[in-house]
Amino acid sequence: MLAPLTTLKVGGPARFFVRCETEEEAAAAVEFSESEGIPLLVLGGGSNMLVSDAGFDGLVMQVAIKGILAEDGSGGETRVLTVGAGEDWDGFVSYCVERDLAGIECLSGIPGLTGAAPVQNIGAYGQEVSETIVSVRCFDRKTRSFVTLGNDECGFAYRKSIFNSDQAGRYIIVSVRFRLAVNGRPKIAYGDLRSHFGGREPELREMREAVIAIRRAKSMVIDPEDPNSLSAGSFFKNPIVPKVKYEAIAASFDGQEVPHFNAEGGLVKIPAAWLIERAGFHKGYRFKNASISSRHTLAIINSGGATAAEIVGLKDLIVRGVKDRFGVELLPEPTFVGFS
Ligand SMILES: Cc1cc2nc3c(=O)[nH]c(=O)nc-3n(C[C@H](O)[C@H](O)[C@H](O)COP(=O)(O)OP(=O)(O)OC[C@H]3O[C@@H](n4cnc5c(N)ncnc54)[C@H](O)[C@@H]3O)c2cc1C
């Protein structure tokens, strides 16, 4: 069953399942799926995935390659570390913070494995993982060989890379190389954090603790005691719209501030949570056994015994509501698995 391997705890069985602890095992698993003619799904920590009730009629491979290796001679102002795809992401962040290595401290508390971090270019509190990635080593299913893709070949953008867009399914990430700043200062790009420290520049360790505390208050860290954390994190991306669209929305909210951020190419990013709330979906809104978290509008949670169909049902209600109210199409963030 795949449900226990995901943070939403929904989803049916996999036909085959394998944990790969070496690059050779990963290549052999791909070989098996191809020789048997069955589909392949790469699973990390299942924290950004919605598996259908029917499950996955193919081979699910979990990349469990471990290890954090500091590159020889990478002294000086930066340190280069190669990390196995199967390393727990937050464990790696903690490893870096303990050693005063800066660059990923704002990404504390994000669940999942390191191999998945480049896939949607994880980000939080003004930091994105692409800022520190040097290269990504993968098994390329097209050429049937291991390749190393430099940062500029990964097509990183907001919650996007080649791994979840035009080349989705092609590469199996086996390790990621990072460049971190030795004794670097933490990044404080977010109002929440600035006010937390009252203008003072914190230590890296304090930044990590603050990020985790803020996330915990929103149920954005996995905690078996917290029913609101039975989620896939933010279920929707913040939509990026043409400026005229934003202006039309702002005009319809006479005198009220419509939150927004400038995005590349003169476009405007509007917080999905704001749109969802204004479309009438509030924290705690329930559809059968699926709900909006009572602590975070962007998180859809399994309120107990939810099916994947119920999660999708709530997602569809929200997407339709926002579309009808604002003419904006919300796109889900998690990968949907086993849906036709
Ligand atoms: C409570 C909570 C909070 C979250 N907060 C954030 C946040 O602040 N910011 C953010 O960006 N995300 C957040 N997320 C989403 C999620 O944690 C990240 O996207 C994470 O990187 C997913 O890792 P995973 O190992 O669980 O991947 P999975 O969910 O297992 O997989 C996600 C996708 O990556 C692919 N994949 C996984 N491993 C590999 C690999 N080795 N090679 C190739 N493809 C692979 C899968 O096929 C799938 O398409 C949150 C999730 C939860 C549950």
Side-chain angles (χ1 to χ4, degrees), residues 133-138 147-151 153-154 162-163 171:
I133 288 179
V134 178
S135 59
V136 180
R137 182 168 159 82
C138 320
V147 293
T148 298
L149 302 175
N151 181 302
E153 294 173 281
C154 295
I162 58 164
F163 309 113
Y171 295 106

Side-chain angles (χ1 to χ4, degrees), residues 168-249:
R170 173 171 172 182
Y171 295 106
I172 288 131
I173 299 170
V174 291
S175 64
V176 187
R177 250 171 109 221
F178 297 88
R179 184 182 297 281
L180 297 146
V182 174
N183 293 324
R185 306 310 307 167
K187 183 167 184 176
I188 315 187
Y190 243 64
D192 266 12
L193 286 169
R194 224 173 285 125
S195 53
H196 185 91
F197 291 110
R200 175 174 73 82
E201 194 179 77
E203 298 294 320
L204 273 187
R205 188 181 34 78
E206 292 176 288
M207 177 60 104
R208 172 170 165 77
E209 284 163 7
V211 166
I212 290 177
I214 294 169
R215 295 181 66 93
R216 194 175 291 285
K218 296 180 184 167
S219 298
M220 281 292 109
V221 286
I222 299 293
D223 177 353
E225 304 293 309
D226 178 359
N228 274 303
S229 75
L230 234 58
S231 77
S234 298
F235 207 90
F236 300 101
K237 298 180 195 179
N238 292 321
I240 297 175
V241 300
K243 196 152 186 235
V244 286
K245 179 79 213 168
Y246 161 74
E247 284 166 352
I249 293 173

Side-chain angles (χ1 to χ4, degrees), residues 5-8 40-50 61-64 85-87 89 106-125 127 136-138 159 163-164 168-175 215 218-223 228-234 296 299 333-337:
L5 302 177
T6 71
T7 53
L8 263 169
L40 178 73
L41 169 72
V42 187
L43 174 76
S47 66
N48 207 22
M49 209 175 255
L50 174 62
M61 70 182 280
Q62 192 169 45
V63 183
E87 283 291 338
W89 170 255
C106 296
L107 307 180
S108 292
I110 299 181
L113 304 183
T114 302
V119 174
Q120 74 150 356
N121 182 21
I122 55 168
Y125 300 102
Q127 201 164 54
V136 180
R137 182 168 159 82
C138 320
R159 296 296 185 274
F163 309 113
N164 71 352
R170 173 171 172 182
Y171 295 106
I172 288 131
I173 299 170
V174 291
S175 64
R215 295 181 66 93
K218 296 180 184 167
S219 298
M220 281 292 109
V221 286
I222 299 293
D223 177 353
N228 274 303
S229 75
L230 234 58
S231 77
S234 298
H296 190 34
E333 202 181 280
T335 305
F336 283 54
V337 170

